[in-house]
Amino acid sequence: MNSTEMVTPAPRRFVAPTSRQALRLARAALGDGALVLASRTHADGFEVVAMGDGDTALLVEQAAAAPPLPAGPAPGASAPDSVLSELHSMRSMIEERLAGVVWNDQQRRDPVRGRLLRTMLGCGFSTRLSRALLEKLPAGHSYAEGLAFVRAELVRAVPVQEDEAQVLGRGGVYALVGPTGVGKTTTTAKLAARCVMRFGAERMALVTTDGYRIGAYEQLRIYGQILGVPVYAVKDAAHLQTVLEELRDKHMVLVDTVGMSQRDRSVSDQIAMLCNAGRPVNRLLLLNAAAHGDTLNEVVYAYQRADRENALVGCIFTKLDEAPLHGALLDTVIRHRLPVHYLSDGQKVPENLAVMDPEQFVDAVLRSPPAGSLFTCEPLGGDASEGAALEIERARAQADRLRQQYQRLIRAMAHDAEEVAAAAAALQQSDVGFDAARALWNDADAAARPVASLLQELADVARGEIGTSCDAHVLAVCGRARLDPNERQETYDIESCLLASDRTGLPLAAPNQWLAMPGDDRWGGRQVQWLRTMEFGRPVVALLPRLAPAEDLVAWQEQRLRWVARASATTLATPAGCGEPTALSRLQPEFGPGEDVTCKGQAARRAVAELPVTVATASGIQLPLRCVFMRTVAAGSGKILQQSWLLTNVGPEVPPQRLAQWQEWAARLDGCMRLTAKGLSLLGGVGELGDPAMMNRLLVAGQVATTASRLLQLEGERADRTRILLTELAGRQVRLDRPHSGAVLYEGLAKLFPLLEALAADVAEASPVGSPA
């Protein structure tokens, strides 16, 4: 091998029976400064992927010596060089480690927060909930004050049942569900005993669907004999319906169900049987205190997803006496908003069943973990203040070392810092709103910032964009986009109101967004009411995906709100000179010659026509409107390929061809609304209920979506190079034979924003104090 030949260092893999042994092997081979890139289980035990500290420096040198990023790969060109390819494969690992650096920095600045995190983890809470709660902790608190804050927040957040007397007073059918061995039969007997003491045995009945477990019915029958309560065994859904019908005179019926693993596909069948029993069945989920937190999470997911329309009414904690830590229980019910009804901590009937008292339970959870626990964070040794100081110093050293290593890796991964800077400069000079998007993104999770302040800033951004990009009107495109389910498996829609240019149709700003449940059909009300309160210096025209109720149209007319809405073929309207309302599809306007277009892969002609019509309300008011007809026919045969209809109250100063073009632009902006959902997921999603930064993330995601959409339409060689860079930053392969994806560009922007911050910080650290920038 020649001395000038470059050798690319590669990560090394170490396999051992345990993770500790694999880490020892890595440190023995690569030194104490070894950088662990990834770890996973392996067929032979445990695998660790690591690099030596010197290897990362060599990677940086090789990246600096490599040629600049080309304008775009030639057709058929090979993938980027091995160094860049290898670093791209480490992308998720680098981001996770950088998140750790950020947390270490926070712990260094606020050691109390670090100690509280250790306390919560030691009590069994998840890292995610612990960090989310501690982010709300005001600065300057002592450890005791911080612990009191944590206690108060947990007591406030834990959901509990309403007054027990009211719940039992209403009566009804309650089914106890949950995995095998969680204690359903014993808990059923305990609940039955409480009800008998309150209402008497003659007003109670017990039912079991457990025909699989040996002795299940006999166990419940013995409890029933002791309490003087009848017990019924049912075989299937029809039998359950019959039995519950016979027991309509009973004030309370408790159903003991078959225990099923949360991974058993029969869970949905069991829930369907209960929900189709002819009477409302309230399901109470039993959660085993001795189960791991991930197991509890799976159990709730499984039993919630089984029938979302008939949700769980609450849960009961069981086997509390068998578990040393109860933090995972609280963590689970807080995240899933599942009310806790009772606590069960033994086998005695009915003594070992109590109503949930959140303050007492939180106090019990926050007590110190058992001494010598093998599965909790180690306590600070020696004197508390001395241990805290050592912990802070250790965190500072770790954060500094990781920051240096990962900034080197970031520079290598970017391949050429000058190319990144040039792309950023091009974006700043382009009319895509890059500077505002970057500033908002970097501040998206600032929980302390009031939403009203962010809304004002977004409105100011919108006015600035409108002043340079709109002619006579501002287009307000109203619509919805579906979000992915959050951790509680709830789905939401984003109600969006994008402001667009009446000159180009490009989105300019998203000054407001709302969350709505999918079943909420009030799709346009909030957007329209908000538009009425805003002043953008030009008349606003709301572009609606469908026609609102006629009464709403009358109200909007009185409020002088201009709108254009898509109408269906069956919409009834009365044309001028005709006394009878007619479906829009039956009207015959006169079309002009139209323009040549391509439709459904063939040559076609598209023409636009207009007729004045009136639409009647339920109260008999006649609303005068314009109806715009759009028709596309095949060039040769004249066959109709597409046709659509618009209704509007916009005056004749806007020709029908322009109105049709506005609605085409509005349909294209559906993609921008979907990008808002993409951005929200990149920023952390909907998050927990009460998350103070959730609305901030939603608003920022909408504004950055307009930047990604405009960048997708930007023309020029520099724009092409920027899109290629963003695609590579997103870890995607560049294909010149395929159009760029808005979602990929959005992901690339999400990587570019922190990359620019890291490079700026690196330049600042490299510049001596007082030297010119």
Side-chain angles (χ1 to χ4, degrees), residues 108-109 117 196 225 390 404 502 556 562 631 757 762:
R108 181 182 66 185
R109 293 192 302 267
L117 175 65
V196 167
Q225 287 179 344
L390 292 174
Q404 292 172 6
D502 65 338
W556 296 350
R562 297 170 175 85
R631 176 178 294 175
E757 297 303 309
D762 185 60

Side-chain angles (χ1 to χ4, degrees), residues 158-162 283-285 287 304 312-317 333-334 336-342 356:
V158 62
V160 295
Q161 72 163 337
E162 55 185 300
R283 293 183 295 125
L284 285 169
L285 178 64
L287 297 176
Q304 275 187 335
L312 295 164
V313 298
C315 68
I316 299 175
F317 293 163
V333 297
I334 288 173
H336 292 277
R337 304 308 301 163
L338 190 61
V340 184
H341 284 225
Y342 295 99
M356 171 68 167

Side-chain angles (χ1 to χ4, degrees), residues 281-328:
V281 177
N282 303 293
R283 293 183 295 125
L284 285 169
L285 178 64
L286 272 63
L287 297 176
N288 185 350
H292 189 275
D294 290 334
T295 303
L296 295 172
N297 211 37
E298 281 190 8
V299 169
V300 179
Y301 277 159
Y303 282 87
Q304 275 187 335
R305 282 199 306 262
D307 193 302
R308 293 184 183 178
E309 294 182 359
N310 299 279
L312 295 164
V313 298
C315 68
I316 299 175
F317 293 163
T318 64
K319 301 183 182 293
L320 290 170
D321 54 322
E322 299 179 14
L325 301 172
H326 301 148

Side-chain angles (χ1 to χ4, degrees), residues 394-532:
R394 190 180 300 114
R396 179 184 294 114
Q398 175 75 353
D400 291 342
R401 186 175 69 86
L402 287 176
R403 182 184 295 102
Q404 292 172 6
Q405 289 178 329
Y406 289 115
Q407 282 185 346
R408 290 200 300 266
L409 284 175
I410 284 174
R411 288 197 298 273
M413 184 172 63
H415 196 57
D416 190 341
E418 292 183 1
E419 178 68 16
V420 174
L427 288 169
Q428 289 171 333
Q429 296 166 8
S430 304
D431 186 21
V432 296
F434 177 76
D435 285 335
R438 177 182 174 184
L440 289 166
W441 186 272
N442 292 333
D443 198 34
D445 224 14
R449 181 177 187 180
V451 174
S453 169
L454 181 55
L455 287 171
Q456 182 60 50
E457 180 177 346
L458 290 171
D460 292 341
V461 170
R463 293 186 183 96
E465 295 283 355
I466 289 168
T468 59
S469 302
C470 292
D471 290 332
H473 298 87
V474 180
L475 305 184
V477 182
C478 303
R480 276 194 175 193
R482 175 62 52 88
L483 282 174
D484 291 332
N486 66 355
E487 282 197 345
R488 299 181 302 278
Q489 294 299 298
E490 293 174 344
T491 56
Y492 292 95
D493 285 348
I494 297 177
E495 285 189 5
S496 190
C497 191
L498 297 177
L499 301 184
S501 167
D502 65 338
R503 184 190 310 155
T504 62
L506 291 177
L508 304 177
N512 215 338
Q513 314 281 323
W514 300 266
L515 283 181
M517 298 299 290
D520 183 0
D521 199 40
R522 297 168 298 173
W523 57 270
R526 284 190 285 192
Q527 291 101 317
V528 171
Q529 293 301 321
W530 173 76
L531 286 172
R532 289 180 53 222

Side-chain angles (χ1 to χ4, degrees), residues 644-773:
S644 55
W645 301 264
L646 302 177
L647 289 173
T648 180
N649 68 345
V650 175
E653 68 276 6
V654 181
Q657 292 80 5
R658 194 67 168 164
L659 295 173
Q661 187 177 49
W662 285 356
Q663 270 296 346
E664 288 180 4
W665 290 342
R668 197 161 56 202
L669 287 178
D670 284 345
C672 185
M673 295 180 189
R674 290 193 293 272
L675 287 183
T676 301
K678 170 73 174 178
L680 184 58
S681 68
L682 291 173
L683 284 168
V686 176
E688 307 294 338
L689 287 177
D691 183 352
M694 184 271 289
M695 280 306 300
N696 289 359
R697 294 196 298 269
L698 176 60
L699 294 169
V700 169
Q703 183 60 39
V704 179
T706 66
T707 295
S709 294
R710 291 157 75 180
L711 178 57
L712 196 62
Q713 306 297 325
L714 201 61
E715 297 180 352
E717 179 185 354
R718 182 67 257 181
D720 289 336
R721 296 185 66 186
T722 301
R723 285 190 285 264
I724 289 171
L725 176 63
L726 292 177
T727 301
E728 292 186 339
L729 284 178
R732 309 299 178 88
Q733 184 178 4
V734 177
R735 296 286 299 272
L736 295 183
D737 57 337
R738 294 182 182 178
H740 291 279
S741 161
V744 172
L745 293 183
Y746 202 129
E747 189 174 348
L749 286 172
K751 302 291 173 58
L752 179 63
F753 294 145
L755 178 58
L756 291 174
E757 297 303 309
L759 293 176
D762 185 60
V763 171
E765 290 179 5
S767 301
V769 177
S771 64

Side-chain angles (χ1 to χ4, degrees), residues 34-79:
L35 184 64
V36 177
L37 304 178
S39 59
R40 63 180 180 181
T41 56
H42 190 274
D44 297 327
F46 202 85
E47 181 184 60
V48 166
V49 181
M51 292 182 71
D53 193 25
D55 291 339
T56 60
L58 184 55
L59 279 175
V60 174
E61 293 174 5
Q62 292 185 6
L69 194 66
S78 61

